Amino acid sequence: MTGQPPATARERLVDGMYGLGWGAVKKLPEPVAARLGRTIADTAWKRRGKGVLRLEANLARVVPDASPERLAQLSKAGMRSYMRYWMESFRLPTWSTEQVRENVHIHDVHHLTDGIAADRGVILALPHLANWDLAGVWVTRVLQTPFTTVAERLKPESLYDRFVAYRESLGMEVLPHAGGSAFGTLARRLREGGLVCLVADRDLSSSGVEVKYFGETTRMPAGPALLAQHTGALLLPVTLWYEEAPVMHGRVHPPVEVPESGTRAAKTSSMTQALADAYATGIAEHPEDWHMLQRLWLADLEPRTRNGAGNGAGGGTGSRADA
């Protein structure tokens, strides 16, 4: 892309690895891909790298009474769940609609289908639980409803392009997170009665809303709450969890209503806290499926990051390219 600095050697390596994943893993028999994912996960867990240690520290807040042994078990299961996400994602383009229908079970889906039928626009807001790409495929294929989402700009640009092409191949409209134009496009889609899906449990802008999350303060994006206020769209939290492969479950939680009174900031704060509470419920029930390998709580961030600089709460979600 014009104006972009040339990719570094590391960025080219990362891009090549993901290209290999999408090119090779999708050709493997499913049991082989599953075993490969577990092997990679167990190897990474044994090395005790930064991601594993951060995951374990995050889980310690979710399960505060867990012993060190229990936390180690959860982090190992968490890495396996994370790699299951990747193995599934690399293979999703080969899944048939019938496979998706048989292996994805969404509970309380009437909240979503009633909203779609009402033609008022619907926002689905999710945390980093299980496989939101698979849930998205269920929406596009089983419900036969297209939707719009956003993706973080990644380096190199070719890697971002891979993610966009991958998600567009699954029936999603993908907008870049950077640049400020995404909000306007999302609002238009909602006013037209469309569906918007956002992974929204980690602030990418350094201007998110402070919420209490497992008893401590973090920031979450204001976008879902603001979109609901601007457009009148229905705001629905969604949580996901894995069962025995290849089955995944999900739950559509009751709508987060716009408060009748208060300033816009107060309404946004209240609605974002309601999303955080719904996410916390799902994460507490299935902590091993929470893929949060980055710093999240403000107490864990460097001082300059807390003030809006650096890559902490305002940074991205890494190679997953989530919103």
Side-chain angles (χ1 to χ4, degrees):
M1 178 174 283
T2 304
Q4 292 291 325
T8 65
R10 183 181 184 279
E11 289 170 349
R12 290 195 298 271
L13 175 62
V14 170
D15 181 43
M17 292 293 288
Y18 282 106
L20 180 63
W22 271 301
V25 173
K26 70 179 181 181
K27 298 177 182 178
L28 296 175
E30 195 140 344
V32 175
R35 285 197 300 272
L36 175 62
R38 287 194 299 271
T39 299
I40 295 172
D42 291 351
T43 300
W45 180 79
K46 289 176 182 176
R47 289 178 177 173
R48 310 289 292 166
K50 289 183 179 179
V52 173
L53 294 177
R54 175 49 48 193
L55 175 62
E56 216 160 273
N58 290 341
L59 287 168
R61 285 183 167 94
V62 175
V63 192
D65 58 347
S67 66
E69 292 78 14
R70 174 61 176 150
L71 283 176
Q73 290 172 352
L74 280 174
S75 66
K76 183 175 184 179
M79 290 304 295
R80 285 188 170 191
S81 176
Y82 184 52
M83 287 311 304
R84 175 174 168 180
Y85 162 85
W86 280 113
M87 293 297 110
E88 284 180 350
S89 295
F90 289 142
R91 293 177 53 77
L92 266 183
T94 71
W95 278 41
S96 68
T97 299
E98 193 55 37
Q99 277 181 286
V100 176
R101 191 189 309 275
E102 289 178 355
N103 295 306
V104 179
H105 305 287
I106 306 297
H107 305 264
D108 299 326
V109 72
H110 64 278
H111 294 303
L112 172 57
T113 54
D114 289 351
I116 293 172
D119 201 32
R120 62 177 287 191
V122 178
I123 306 159
L124 296 180
L126 307 86
H128 285 81
L129 272 170
N131 191 337
W132 88 272
D133 285 317
L134 178 53
V137 171
W138 183 87
V139 169
T140 59
R141 293 191 186 175
V142 177
L143 293 188
Q144 298 185 332
T145 302
F147 66 85
T148 304
T149 188
V150 299
E152 178 195 0
R153 284 279 188 191
L154 299 175
K155 294 182 179 181
E157 191 76 10
S158 56
L159 180 57
Y160 170 78
D161 291 341
R162 286 187 193 275
F163 273 99
V164 171
Y166 157 67
R167 286 178 172 152
E168 288 181 342
S169 76
L170 300 177
M172 311 175 193
E173 179 188 23
V174 183
L175 307 175
H177 182 273
S181 63
F183 188 92
T185 302
L186 294 173
R188 285 195 297 274
R189 298 291 183 268
L190 292 168
R191 292 191 183 102
E192 294 164 356
L195 177 64
V196 165
C197 298
L198 301 171
V199 180
D201 61 341
R202 187 166 181 264
D203 181 40
L204 294 181
S205 67
S206 299
S207 59
V209 177
E210 289 193 2
V211 296
K212 287 294 184 181
Y213 206 40
F214 295 100
E216 293 193 42
T217 304
T218 186
R219 294 191 191 99
M220 289 189 180
L226 288 172
L227 283 167
Q229 292 176 62
H230 276 278
T231 67
L234 197 66
L235 176 55
L236 299 174
V238 177
T239 54
L240 307 168
W241 67 94
Y242 280 136
E243 298 286 354
E244 187 77 20
V247 176
M248 186 181 76
H249 286 257
R251 173 166 287 108
V252 183
H253 295 255
V256 173
E257 303 291 349
V258 178
E260 294 183 1
S261 61
T263 64
R264 176 173 294 175
K267 291 178 180 180
T268 302
S269 178
S270 174
M271 295 171 72
T272 307
Q273 182 64 62
L275 288 177
D277 292 343
Y279 299 161
T281 298
I283 292 166
E285 291 174 351
H286 304 280
E288 69 279 1
D289 290 325
W290 187 42
H291 305 156
M292 187 56 66
L293 280 70
Q294 301 87 12
R295 299 185 185 200
L296 180 67
W297 283 276
L298 299 191
D300 293 337
L301 303 178
E302 297 176 4
R304 69 188 187 95
T305 304
R306 295 189 201 182
N307 294 327
N311 295 319
T317 52
S319 55
R320 278 188 64 168
D322 297 331

